[in-house]
Amino acid sequence: MSDMDEFLEMFFVECDELLEALSTGLRAMDSATGDVETVHSVFRAVHSMKGAAAAFGLSDLVTFAHRFETVLDELRSEKLDATQSVMVTLHRSSDFLSDLVTAARQSECADQARLKELLNELDDIIGHEDVSTEDEDEGIEFVPLTLDLTPLDGGTPLNTFQIIFSPDAELYRSGNDPVALLFSLQQLGETEVTIDHALVPLLRDWRAEETYLSWKVTLITDEPVGKVNEIFEFVADCAAIEISSFEQPIQNDFFEKNPVATVGSQEQKELANNPQNAEEHKSVELDENKSEKAAKTSNGPGGNANAAASIRVSLERVDKLMNMIGELVIKEAMLYQVIETAGLTNQPDVVSALDGIRQLAGDIQESVMSIRAQPLKLVFQRMHRIVREAADATGKKVRLDTIGENTEVDKTMIERLIDPLTHMIRNSVDHGLEDAVTRQRRGKALEGTITLSAAHRSGRVLIEVSDDGGGIDRERVRKIAEDRGLIAPGTQLSSSEIDSLLFLPGFSSKEQVSALSGRGVGLDVVRREIMSLGGRVMIQSTENKGTKFSITLPLTLAVLEGMLIQLGDQSMVLPITAVQETLRPSSSCLHYVGKTGKLLLNRGELIPIVDIACTFGIRDEPAPLEDGVLIVIENDSHRRAALFVDAIFDQRQVVIKSLEENYGKIPGVSAATILGDGNIALIIDPEEIIFASGMEHARNNLKIAAYG
Amino acid sequence: MPDIQLPEILDQRAAQKVATLLIEEIGKPIKLDASAITRLGTIGVEMLLAAQRQWQSDGVAFEVCDWSANAEKAIATLGLSTTQFQVEVQS
Amino acid sequence: MTARILAVDDSPTIRGLVSSVLRRAGFEVYLAGDGVEGVGSLSDADPALIITDINMPRMDGFGLIEAVRATGEYSSVPILVLTTESSPELKARARNAGATGWIVKPFEDKHFVSVINRVLGR
């Protein structure tokens, strides 16, 4: 049933949103900014999940959500106070609900022990011993009563039923209609319908609200009585119904003792006999309705009520659109070249028409990018749980503050940011923050604070994870790096260079394995992940004040701001983010080492000059430096290199076309793009170029030589 | 003989409306056109029965003609026949 | 003749599921995300039957039922409540508001469609 799968997938997407609303709401309740509406929204989130889960028969999820909801209902009706201990359980339940969703998503069995434990915890809050039995009753109750009268010796014997049916006015008011009911009966077998219309008055005395008709139906069917009962399922409380079976000797006690089974609600009849009671009953219901409605309407601003209308579109379709827009941008560039070649660029109307297209293509591109954009909230929200768990595991008290969670980035990035951020947050709790004793000694608040912030900065996204811990112990970091052979003993390193050591593969400052670490993942993995997103990670640390990791990311993975350069007869693109400066080489700043080694003295530093045309095998011999331009590039760890290129054409946005799918990874190249003239240009990976250049030149030694 | 076109949906509300209309015509021969009916509720049928009874007691001609298929089906389902909705006056 | 059904639920999943089941059963389906939307789309949808959730933002299922019953044109349209609970209290409340019947989740496609057909007299 692929159809079902599709809706199941939809359900999980919906769950993600509901879980987010749930945890947001719970946090609002924590901070006492939450009001009645918050509790309502939290309740509704759990309730919606239960409802949808029930549709898919996800029983663990339903059971748990139901109990969870019961507690929330007590909070909602102010029978229960949101004490700190209650809130702890609610948070845990919210986390576990998320686990249950994950388990269901992976068709795995949920952690039954945990389920039981939390159900008990919730029960304790409710304080009702009988909740579970109540629950079961409810589960069973909806199963329609089916008496199977088929004898064991097989065959399908015919039953004959006589049904006497006289509806109350209520039956019509509820949208039921005898026409439909009688028609359904006729579907079961052969029927003979006798209508009693003796009570119908003259039109003058006729009242639409009154009922004058009743029926007697003889039904011969091979269906059991359950099927007949089922038809009257909805009207049992608003009609007198007698179903009796005859001609067919039935060994069922039900019919022997009650030759006539009367289906009808006793309560309803009692109410009818006692109008005053009925009136009272009704007015209570009305009041309830009113108060609930009042609560709902006041829910208005900020609540679900204002949720914008939206549609769900598969990412694939958006990607396709994005791709086509990429093509459009390329075609537009081609068109420009054709017009240029035809010598039409001096025609104002041609130029303005072309500008119009270009403008439009840009706008469309931006629109599609905004479709793919999603708020970082989706990632940030998860980090609360990570912090809670990390705090539990380390025994530290930690608060997570989030800033700018509405900052939007590309959807793909959202997903791929989860792991690195999780790791960084864990790292901050585990290594960044001091334990309570140390914090007290240093005169800090016992509760450590981790701040996760996001903002747009000049066309990129800046995400920062900072803690108010002890800062990086640089002596220790240096020692570890030396011990692990990552740097030569006694190497001169600036503070920021020492900090950068944390990102080196093989570096792990953990002298003891804590519950959180020991996952075999270091910050180098974080850095690699971020880089694969076209981003960079930087680290800043102040002793006793804390450490801050800064991540910058491009807004999209689909376009890149690049510098179009010429290498021999080839064009290539250099990502603008890596470019520090461009300069014409002058002999005063050029230094030579050995036969081929060339260095550029730039900002008091000697940096290797790389003739990338050689690196890529475009030419065999390095070209004379006077013939070209140098581009100084820098990587995240502030290592630099000067790239020698023949010429710089211009700076432009290029549409990234992945190469890895078709060609596999090419060293020094991250992707490709198609230029206006239809030619393909490779996009240079500056990180790898710098890395390669660093291998050739022992940079630190050169630095000493330059000053010596 | 005035013709009254019965509505597409003859439910409780519509029956009430038609009844009000018919009460104005009491005492006059009448022909109701049932060709447009797509949904005929029990209350609608009941009202037509009451009308037939009214005209019968007044001894005035009453007829429901051109029953739509849906209307005919509803009548049969309820255990009635379309012939029950006529008053013929011997003159 | 295809009957038109208006399904009101705040869960997009349930809306999708319900509409898929109903469309396959040959119904024409209109969807609304809450009671307010449901009432607002009555004249567009012109439904022969309404299926509604109970717990929804803005206007819940009870409110929707009462509102529909208060309209002239759609006052007799059958309204089925789609619910996870099946407590007598809930049924009584739904009935008081004017609900025709209820379907309890999880529902089975066949049963779901047969209940609708039954209520519609098809």
Side-chain angles (χ1 to χ4, degrees), chain A residues 3 7 14 54 141 173-174 176 183-184 233-234 237 285 289, chain C residues 11-13 16 20 24 66 69 86 93 95-96 100 106 118 122:
Chain A
D3 215 31
F7 288 113
E14 190 187 343
E141 213 242 325
R173 205 179 71 78
S174 70
N176 281 292
F183 182 78
S184 300
E233 182 190 358
F234 299 148
D237 61 344
E285 294 271 331
N289 278 352
Chain C
S11 156
T13 309
S20 144
R24 251 180 299 141
E66 280 167 8
R69 291 287 175 245
S86 60
R93 249 189 105 184
R95 181 41 60 80
N96 259 317
T100 307
R118 187 172 88 213
R122 285 156 52 105

PDB file of all heavy atoms in Angstrom, chain A residues 3 7 14 54 141 173-174 176 183-184 233-234 237 285 289, chain C residues 11-13 16 20 24 66 69 86 93 95-96 100 106 118 122:
ATOM      1  N   ASP A   3       0.187   4.028  -1.126  1.00  0.00           N
ATOM      2  CA  ASP A   3      -0.645   5.172  -0.820  1.00  0.00           C
ATOM      3  C   ASP A   3      -0.565   5.488   0.664  1.00  0.00           C
ATOM      4  O   ASP A   3      -0.396   6.626   1.083  1.00  0.00           O
ATOM      5  CB  ASP A   3      -2.089   4.800  -1.185  1.00  0.00           C
ATOM      6  CG  ASP A   3      -2.828   6.007  -1.725  1.00  0.00           C
ATOM      7  OD1 ASP A   3      -2.157   6.852  -2.334  1.00  0.00           O
ATOM      8  OD2 ASP A   3      -4.036   6.082  -1.524  1.00  0.00           O
ATOM      9  N   PHE A   7       1.030   8.723   3.060  1.00  0.00           N
ATOM     10  CA  PHE A   7       0.391   9.477   4.132  1.00  0.00           C
ATOM     11  C   PHE A   7       1.130   9.294   5.442  1.00  0.00           C
ATOM     12  O   PHE A   7       1.169  10.189   6.266  1.00  0.00           O
ATOM     13  CB  PHE A   7      -1.075   9.074   4.255  1.00  0.00           C
ATOM     14  CG  PHE A   7      -1.875   9.589   3.119  1.00  0.00           C
ATOM     15  CD1 PHE A   7      -2.425   8.737   2.199  1.00  0.00           C
ATOM     16  CD2 PHE A   7      -2.011  10.955   2.943  1.00  0.00           C
ATOM     17  CE1 PHE A   7      -3.126   9.229   1.120  1.00  0.00           C
ATOM     18  CE2 PHE A   7      -2.704  11.456   1.876  1.00  0.00           C
ATOM     19  CZ  PHE A   7      -3.267  10.590   0.961  1.00  0.00           C
ATOM     20  N   GLU A  14       4.293  15.997   9.658  1.00  0.00           N
ATOM     21  CA  GLU A  14       3.386  16.734  10.530  1.00  0.00           C
ATOM     22  C   GLU A  14       3.827  16.598  11.990  1.00  0.00           C
ATOM     23  O   GLU A  14       3.810  17.557  12.755  1.00  0.00           O
ATOM     24  CB  GLU A  14       1.969  16.199  10.350  1.00  0.00           C
ATOM     25  CG  GLU A  14       0.927  17.056  11.024  1.00  0.00           C
ATOM     26  CD  GLU A  14      -0.443  16.397  10.974  1.00  0.00           C
ATOM     27  OE1 GLU A  14      -0.640  15.473  10.167  1.00  0.00           O
ATOM     28  OE2 GLU A  14      -1.305  16.812  11.760  1.00  0.00           O
ATOM     29  N   ALA A  54      -3.485   7.350  15.597  1.00  0.00           N
ATOM     30  CA  ALA A  54      -4.550   6.350  15.693  1.00  0.00           C
ATOM     31  C   ALA A  54      -4.990   5.910  14.308  1.00  0.00           C
ATOM     32  O   ALA A  54      -5.288   4.738  14.085  1.00  0.00           O
ATOM     33  CB  ALA A  54      -5.723   6.912  16.476  1.00  0.00           C
ATOM     34  N   GLU A 141     -14.297   0.007  23.326  1.00  0.00           N
ATOM     35  CA  GLU A 141     -15.673   0.454  23.212  1.00  0.00           C
ATOM     36  C   GLU A 141     -16.166   0.691  21.792  1.00  0.00           C
ATOM     37  O   GLU A 141     -17.308   0.404  21.467  1.00  0.00           O
ATOM     38  CB  GLU A 141     -15.845   1.740  24.035  1.00  0.00           C
ATOM     39  CG  GLU A 141     -17.197   1.865  24.652  1.00  0.00           C
ATOM     40  CD  GLU A 141     -17.894   3.063  24.125  1.00  0.00           C
ATOM     41  OE1 GLU A 141     -17.248   4.081  23.856  1.00  0.00           O
ATOM     42  OE2 GLU A 141     -19.111   2.983  23.975  1.00  0.00           O
ATOM     43  N   ARG A 173     -33.100  15.860  13.285  1.00  0.00           N
ATOM     44  CA  ARG A 173     -32.280  17.018  13.599  1.00  0.00           C
ATOM     45  C   ARG A 173     -30.791  16.698  13.491  1.00  0.00           C
ATOM     46  O   ARG A 173     -29.960  17.547  13.224  1.00  0.00           O
ATOM     47  CB  ARG A 173     -32.609  17.518  15.014  1.00  0.00           C
ATOM     48  CG  ARG A 173     -32.313  18.998  15.242  1.00  0.00           C
ATOM     49  CD  ARG A 173     -32.686  19.432  16.646  1.00  0.00           C
ATOM     50  NE  ARG A 173     -31.796  18.901  17.675  1.00  0.00           N
ATOM     51  CZ  ARG A 173     -30.593  19.387  17.933  1.00  0.00           C
ATOM     52  NH1 ARG A 173     -30.125  20.408  17.266  1.00  0.00           N
ATOM     53  NH2 ARG A 173     -29.847  18.856  18.875  1.00  0.00           N
ATOM     54  N   SER A 174     -30.460  15.423  13.712  1.00  0.00           N
ATOM     55  CA  SER A 174     -29.044  15.049  13.683  1.00  0.00           C
ATOM     56  C   SER A 174     -28.558  14.716  12.279  1.00  0.00           C
ATOM     57  O   SER A 174     -27.437  14.254  12.115  1.00  0.00           O
ATOM     58  CB  SER A 174     -28.817  13.841  14.596  1.00  0.00           C
ATOM     59  OG  SER A 174     -29.419  12.705  14.009  1.00  0.00           O
ATOM     60  N   ASN A 176     -29.655  12.430  10.371  1.00  0.00           N
ATOM     61  CA  ASN A 176     -29.978  11.066   9.951  1.00  0.00           C
ATOM     62  C   ASN A 176     -31.322  11.092   9.234  1.00  0.00           C
ATOM     63  O   ASN A 176     -32.127  12.010   9.410  1.00  0.00           O
ATOM     64  CB  ASN A 176     -30.048  10.147  11.175  1.00  0.00           C
ATOM     65  CG  ASN A 176     -28.664   9.744  11.648  1.00  0.00           C
ATOM     66  OD1 ASN A 176     -27.957   9.012  10.961  1.00  0.00           O
ATOM     67  ND2 ASN A 176     -28.265  10.253  12.803  1.00  0.00           N
ATOM     68  N   PHE A 183     -32.738   2.139   3.306  1.00  0.00           N
ATOM     69  CA  PHE A 183     -32.001   1.739   2.110  1.00  0.00           C
ATOM     70  C   PHE A 183     -30.866   0.777   2.486  1.00  0.00           C
ATOM     71  O   PHE A 183     -30.646  -0.235   1.841  1.00  0.00           O
ATOM     72  CB  PHE A 183     -31.443   2.972   1.388  1.00  0.00           C
ATOM     73  CG  PHE A 183     -30.717   2.640   0.131  1.00  0.00           C
ATOM     74  CD1 PHE A 183     -31.418   2.344  -1.037  1.00  0.00           C
ATOM     75  CD2 PHE A 183     -29.326   2.589   0.104  1.00  0.00           C
ATOM     76  CE1 PHE A 183     -30.747   2.020  -2.199  1.00  0.00           C
ATOM     77  CE2 PHE A 183     -28.652   2.265  -1.062  1.00  0.00           C
ATOM     78  CZ  PHE A 183     -29.367   1.979  -2.218  1.00  0.00           C
ATOM     79  N   SER A 184     -30.175   1.113   3.594  1.00  0.00           N
ATOM     80  CA  SER A 184     -29.082   0.245   4.043  1.00  0.00           C
ATOM     81  C   SER A 184     -29.609  -1.136   4.424  1.00  0.00           C
ATOM     82  O   SER A 184     -28.969  -2.148   4.131  1.00  0.00           O
ATOM     83  CB  SER A 184     -28.368   0.859   5.245  1.00  0.00           C
ATOM     84  OG  SER A 184     -27.844   2.109   4.903  1.00  0.00           O
ATOM     85  N   GLU A 233     -26.617   2.069  14.436  1.00  0.00           N
ATOM     86  CA  GLU A 233     -25.552   2.520  15.339  1.00  0.00           C
ATOM     87  C   GLU A 233     -25.737   3.975  15.785  1.00  0.00           C
ATOM     88  O   GLU A 233     -25.610   4.301  16.965  1.00  0.00           O
ATOM     89  CB  GLU A 233     -24.210   2.351  14.608  1.00  0.00           C
ATOM     90  CG  GLU A 233     -22.991   2.726  15.418  1.00  0.00           C
ATOM     91  CD  GLU A 233     -21.734   2.768  14.546  1.00  0.00           C
ATOM     92  OE1 GLU A 233     -21.820   2.460  13.336  1.00  0.00           O
ATOM     93  OE2 GLU A 233     -20.662   3.112  15.090  1.00  0.00           O
ATOM     94  N   PHE A 234     -26.027   4.848  14.841  1.00  0.00           N
ATOM     95  CA  PHE A 234     -26.047   6.275  15.164  1.00  0.00           C
ATOM     96  C   PHE A 234     -27.397   6.765  15.684  1.00  0.00           C
ATOM     97  O   PHE A 234     -27.525   7.905  16.089  1.00  0.00           O
ATOM     98  CB  PHE A 234     -25.682   7.107  13.938  1.00  0.00           C
ATOM     99  CG  PHE A 234     -24.306   6.825  13.414  1.00  0.00           C
ATOM    100  CD1 PHE A 234     -24.037   6.922  12.054  1.00  0.00           C
ATOM    101  CD2 PHE A 234     -23.274   6.463  14.278  1.00  0.00           C
ATOM    102  CE1 PHE A 234     -22.768   6.677  11.568  1.00  0.00           C
ATOM    103  CE2 PHE A 234     -22.004   6.210  13.786  1.00  0.00           C
ATOM    104  CZ  PHE A 234     -21.746   6.308  12.429  1.00  0.00           C
ATOM    105  N   ASP A 237     -30.070   6.264  20.089  1.00  0.00           N
ATOM    106  CA  ASP A 237     -30.521   7.172  21.142  1.00  0.00           C
ATOM    107  C   ASP A 237     -31.639   8.105  20.684  1.00  0.00           C
ATOM    108  O   ASP A 237     -32.090   8.938  21.439  1.00  0.00           O
ATOM    109  CB  ASP A 237     -29.327   7.978  21.676  1.00  0.00           C
ATOM    110  CG  ASP A 237     -28.699   8.828  20.587  1.00  0.00           C
ATOM    111  OD1 ASP A 237     -28.981   8.574  19.402  1.00  0.00           O
ATOM    112  OD2 ASP A 237     -27.925   9.736  20.912  1.00  0.00           O
ATOM    113  N   GLU A 285     -24.120  21.804  29.166  1.00  0.00           N
ATOM    114  CA  GLU A 285     -23.351  21.544  27.949  1.00  0.00           C
ATOM    115  C   GLU A 285     -23.050  22.844  27.228  1.00  0.00           C
ATOM    116  O   GLU A 285     -21.957  23.082  26.760  1.00  0.00           O
ATOM    117  CB  GLU A 285     -24.153  20.642  27.015  1.00  0.00           C
ATOM    118  CG  GLU A 285     -24.379  19.251  27.564  1.00  0.00           C
ATOM    119  CD  GLU A 285     -23.254  18.310  27.180  1.00  0.00           C
ATOM    120  OE1 GLU A 285     -22.677  18.547  26.122  1.00  0.00           O
ATOM    121  OE2 GLU A 285     -22.973  17.381  27.935  1.00  0.00           O
ATOM    122  N   ASN A 289     -19.572  24.612  26.243  1.00  0.00           N
ATOM    123  CA  ASN A 289     -19.258  25.009  24.886  1.00  0.00           C
ATOM    124  C   ASN A 289     -18.763  26.435  24.827  1.00  0.00           C
ATOM    125  O   ASN A 289     -17.800  26.760  24.167  1.00  0.00           O
ATOM    126  CB  ASN A 289     -20.518  24.917  24.016  1.00  0.00           C
ATOM    127  CG  ASN A 289     -20.745  23.489  23.560  1.00  0.00           C
ATOM    128  OD1 ASN A 289     -19.873  22.651  23.776  1.00  0.00           O
ATOM    129  ND2 ASN A 289     -21.884  23.238  22.979  1.00  0.00           N
TER     130      ASN A 289
ATOM    131  N   SER C  11      -5.402  18.364  10.870  1.00  0.00           N
ATOM    132  CA  SER C  11      -4.209  17.597  10.534  1.00  0.00           C
ATOM    133  C   SER C  11      -4.139  17.344   9.034  1.00  0.00           C
ATOM    134  O   SER C  11      -5.017  16.713   8.463  1.00  0.00           O
ATOM    135  CB  SER C  11      -4.236  16.256  11.262  1.00  0.00           C
ATOM    136  OG  SER C  11      -3.434  15.323  10.566  1.00  0.00           O
ATOM    137  N   PRO C  12      -3.085  17.869   8.396  1.00  0.00           N
ATOM    138  CA  PRO C  12      -2.965  17.649   6.950  1.00  0.00           C
ATOM    139  C   PRO C  12      -2.885  16.162   6.617  1.00  0.00           C
ATOM    140  O   PRO C  12      -3.332  15.738   5.557  1.00  0.00           O
ATOM    141  CB  PRO C  12      -1.666  18.362   6.576  1.00  0.00           C
ATOM    142  CG  PRO C  12      -1.065  18.881   7.813  1.00  0.00           C
ATOM    143  CD  PRO C  12      -2.011  18.683   8.947  1.00  0.00           C
ATOM    144  N   THR C  13      -2.303  15.402   7.529  1.00  0.00           N
ATOM    145  CA  THR C  13      -2.194  13.964   7.281  1.00  0.00           C
ATOM    146  C   THR C  13      -3.580  13.331   7.179  1.00  0.00           C
ATOM    147  O   THR C  13      -3.874  12.584   6.253  1.00  0.00           O
ATOM    148  CB  THR C  13      -1.425  13.286   8.413  1.00  0.00           C
ATOM    149  OG1 THR C  13      -0.217  13.980   8.632  1.00  0.00           O
ATOM    150  CG2 THR C  13      -1.136  11.853   8.073  1.00  0.00           C
ATOM    151  N   GLY C  16      -5.364  14.368   4.120  1.00  0.00           N
ATOM    152  CA  GLY C  16      -4.863  13.657   2.951  1.00  0.00           C
ATOM    153  C   GLY C  16      -5.391  12.241   2.899  1.00  0.00           C
ATOM    154  O   GLY C  16      -5.826  11.751   1.858  1.00  0.00           O
ATOM    155  N   SER C  20      -7.979  10.783   0.187  1.00  0.00           N
ATOM    156  CA  SER C  20      -7.541   9.712  -0.709  1.00  0.00           C
ATOM    157  C   SER C  20      -8.510   8.535  -0.678  1.00  0.00           C
ATOM    158  O   SER C  20      -8.882   7.989  -1.717  1.00  0.00           O
ATOM    159  CB  SER C  20      -6.120   9.284  -0.315  1.00  0.00           C
ATOM    160  OG  SER C  20      -5.947   7.916  -0.488  1.00  0.00           O
ATOM    161  N   ARG C  24     -10.958   7.610  -3.890  1.00  0.00           N
ATOM    162  CA  ARG C  24     -10.912   6.276  -4.484  1.00  0.00           C
ATOM    163  C   ARG C  24     -12.290   5.627  -4.468  1.00  0.00           C
ATOM    164  O   ARG C  24     -12.593   4.793  -5.307  1.00  0.00           O
ATOM    165  CB  ARG C  24      -9.887   5.397  -3.772  1.00  0.00           C
ATOM    166  CG  ARG C  24      -8.664   5.154  -4.663  1.00  0.00           C
ATOM    167  CD  ARG C  24      -7.656   4.287  -3.969  1.00  0.00           C
ATOM    168  NE  ARG C  24      -7.195   4.932  -2.762  1.00  0.00           N
ATOM    169  CZ  ARG C  24      -6.962   4.281  -1.627  1.00  0.00           C
ATOM    170  NH1 ARG C  24      -7.131   2.994  -1.542  1.00  0.00           N
ATOM    171  NH2 ARG C  24      -6.532   4.945  -0.566  1.00  0.00           N
ATOM    172  N   GLU C  66     -22.766  22.851  15.093  1.00  0.00           N
ATOM    173  CA  GLU C  66     -23.823  23.794  15.465  1.00  0.00           C
ATOM    174  C   GLU C  66     -24.018  24.848  14.386  1.00  0.00           C
ATOM    175  O   GLU C  66     -25.151  25.197  14.052  1.00  0.00           O
ATOM    176  CB  GLU C  66     -23.482  24.464  16.802  1.00  0.00           C
ATOM    177  CG  GLU C  66     -23.808  23.556  17.975  1.00  0.00           C
ATOM    178  CD  GLU C  66     -23.198  24.045  19.282  1.00  0.00           C
ATOM    179  OE1 GLU C  66     -22.649  25.165  19.306  1.00  0.00           O
ATOM    180  OE2 GLU C  66     -23.278  23.291  20.261  1.00  0.00           O
ATOM    181  N   ARG C  69     -25.764  23.346  11.384  1.00  0.00           N
ATOM    182  CA  ARG C  69     -27.181  23.096  11.675  1.00  0.00           C
ATOM    183  C   ARG C  69     -27.971  24.411  11.695  1.00  0.00           C
ATOM    184  O   ARG C  69     -29.169  24.419  11.456  1.00  0.00           O
ATOM    185  CB  ARG C  69     -27.326  22.386  13.027  1.00  0.00           C
ATOM    186  CG  ARG C  69     -26.814  20.951  13.023  1.00  0.00           C
ATOM    187  CD  ARG C  69     -27.733  20.002  12.258  1.00  0.00           C
ATOM    188  NE  ARG C  69     -27.166  18.664  12.164  1.00  0.00           N
ATOM    189  CZ  ARG C  69     -26.793  18.079  11.030  1.00  0.00           C
ATOM    190  NH1 ARG C  69     -26.921  18.714   9.880  1.00  0.00           N
ATOM    191  NH2 ARG C  69     -26.287  16.870  11.018  1.00  0.00           N
ATOM    192  N   SER C  86     -14.278   7.585  21.936  1.00  0.00           N
ATOM    193  CA  SER C  86     -15.635   7.166  21.645  1.00  0.00           C
ATOM    194  C   SER C  86     -16.424   7.094  22.942  1.00  0.00           C
ATOM    195  O   SER C  86     -17.279   6.270  23.118  1.00  0.00           O
ATOM    196  CB  SER C  86     -15.623   5.812  20.961  1.00  0.00           C
ATOM    197  OG  SER C  86     -15.013   4.877  21.823  1.00  0.00           O
ATOM    198  N   ARG C  93     -22.305  14.727  23.471  1.00  0.00           N
ATOM    199  CA  ARG C  93     -22.034  16.130  23.141  1.00  0.00           C
ATOM    200  C   ARG C  93     -22.159  16.379  21.647  1.00  0.00           C
ATOM    201  O   ARG C  93     -22.717  17.375  21.208  1.00  0.00           O
ATOM    202  CB  ARG C  93     -20.621  16.503  23.595  1.00  0.00           C
ATOM    203  CG  ARG C  93     -20.630  17.478  24.754  1.00  0.00           C
ATOM    204  CD  ARG C  93     -19.247  17.968  25.017  1.00  0.00           C
ATOM    205  NE  ARG C  93     -19.075  19.330  24.538  1.00  0.00           N
ATOM    206  CZ  ARG C  93     -17.918  19.973  24.586  1.00  0.00           C
ATOM    207  NH1 ARG C  93     -16.866  19.368  25.074  1.00  0.00           N
ATOM    208  NH2 ARG C  93     -17.840  21.195  24.153  1.00  0.00           N
ATOM    209  N   ARG C  95     -23.883  14.595  19.594  1.00  0.00           N
ATOM    210  CA  ARG C  95     -25.285  14.437  19.232  1.00  0.00           C
ATOM    211  C   ARG C  95     -26.064  15.694  19.582  1.00  0.00           C
ATOM    212  O   ARG C  95     -26.894  16.173  18.815  1.00  0.00           O
ATOM    213  CB  ARG C  95     -25.829  13.204  19.952  1.00  0.00           C
ATOM    214  CG  ARG C  95     -27.270  12.835  19.709  1.00  0.00           C
ATOM    215  CD  ARG C  95     -27.739  12.974  18.279  1.00  0.00           C
ATOM    216  NE  ARG C  95     -27.091  12.210  17.264  1.00  0.00           N
ATOM    217  CZ  ARG C  95     -27.318  10.930  16.977  1.00  0.00           C
ATOM    218  NH1 ARG C  95     -28.139  10.227  17.684  1.00  0.00           N
ATOM    219  NH2 ARG C  95     -26.705  10.358  15.984  1.00  0.00           N
ATOM    220  N   ASN C  96     -25.759  16.236  20.765  1.00  0.00           N
ATOM    221  CA  ASN C  96     -26.420  17.463  21.193  1.00  0.00           C
ATOM    222  C   ASN C  96     -26.183  18.598  20.221  1.00  0.00           C
ATOM    223  O   ASN C  96     -27.042  19.430  19.988  1.00  0.00           O
ATOM    224  CB  ASN C  96     -25.905  17.879  22.568  1.00  0.00           C
ATOM    225  CG  ASN C  96     -26.881  17.502  23.650  1.00  0.00           C
ATOM    226  OD1 ASN C  96     -28.079  17.687  23.473  1.00  0.00           O
ATOM    227  ND2 ASN C  96     -26.387  16.959  24.735  1.00  0.00           N
ATOM    228  N   THR C 100     -24.520  13.581  13.080  1.00  0.00           N
ATOM    229  CA  THR C 100     -25.274  12.463  12.560  1.00  0.00           C
ATOM    230  C   THR C 100     -24.717  11.148  13.101  1.00  0.00           C
ATOM    231  O   THR C 100     -25.463  10.231  13.421  1.00  0.00           O
ATOM    232  CB  THR C 100     -25.194  12.453  11.023  1.00  0.00           C
ATOM    233  OG1 THR C 100     -25.579  13.742  10.563  1.00  0.00           O
ATOM    234  CG2 THR C 100     -26.088  11.390  10.428  1.00  0.00           C
ATOM    235  N   PRO C 106      -8.500   4.246  14.772  1.00  0.00           N
ATOM    236  CA  PRO C 106      -8.171   4.085  13.353  1.00  0.00           C
ATOM    237  C   PRO C 106      -9.340   3.479  12.593  1.00  0.00           C
ATOM    238  O   PRO C 106      -9.980   2.585  13.092  1.00  0.00           O
ATOM    239  CB  PRO C 106      -6.990   3.101  13.385  1.00  0.00           C
ATOM    240  CG  PRO C 106      -7.146   2.331  14.648  1.00  0.00           C
ATOM    241  CD  PRO C 106      -7.871   3.219  15.603  1.00  0.00           C
ATOM    242  N   ARG C 118     -23.871   4.490   4.019  1.00  0.00           N
ATOM    243  CA  ARG C 118     -25.060   4.194   4.807  1.00  0.00           C
ATOM    244  C   ARG C 118     -25.787   5.494   5.172  1.00  0.00           C
ATOM    245  O   ARG C 118     -26.993   5.605   5.034  1.00  0.00           O
ATOM    246  CB  ARG C 118     -24.624   3.458   6.074  1.00  0.00           C
ATOM    247  CG  ARG C 118     -25.750   2.946   6.906  1.00  0.00           C
ATOM    248  CD  ARG C 118     -25.203   2.073   7.998  1.00  0.00           C
ATOM    249  NE  ARG C 118     -24.850   2.849   9.172  1.00  0.00           N
ATOM    250  CZ  ARG C 118     -23.851   2.559   9.989  1.00  0.00           C
ATOM    251  NH1 ARG C 118     -23.043   1.554   9.727  1.00  0.00           N
ATOM    252  NH2 ARG C 118     -23.620   3.292  11.045  1.00  0.00           N
ATOM    253  N   ARG C 122     -26.825   5.410   0.130  1.00  0.00           N
ATOM    254  CA  ARG C 122     -26.396   4.988  -1.199  1.00  0.00           C
ATOM    255  C   ARG C 122     -26.121   3.490  -1.237  1.00  0.00           C
ATOM    256  O   ARG C 122     -25.632   2.931  -0.308  1.00  0.00           O
ATOM    257  CB  ARG C 122     -25.120   5.711  -1.614  1.00  0.00           C
ATOM    258  CG  ARG C 122     -25.346   7.133  -2.012  1.00  0.00           C
ATOM    259  CD  ARG C 122     -24.097   7.942  -1.839  1.00  0.00           C
ATOM    260  NE  ARG C 122     -22.968   7.317  -2.506  1.00  0.00           N
ATOM    261  CZ  ARG C 122     -22.441   7.759  -3.651  1.00  0.00           C
ATOM    262  NH1 ARG C 122     -22.954   8.789  -4.257  1.00  0.00           N
ATOM    263  NH2 ARG C 122     -21.405   7.170  -4.179  1.00  0.00           N
TER     264      ARG C 122
END
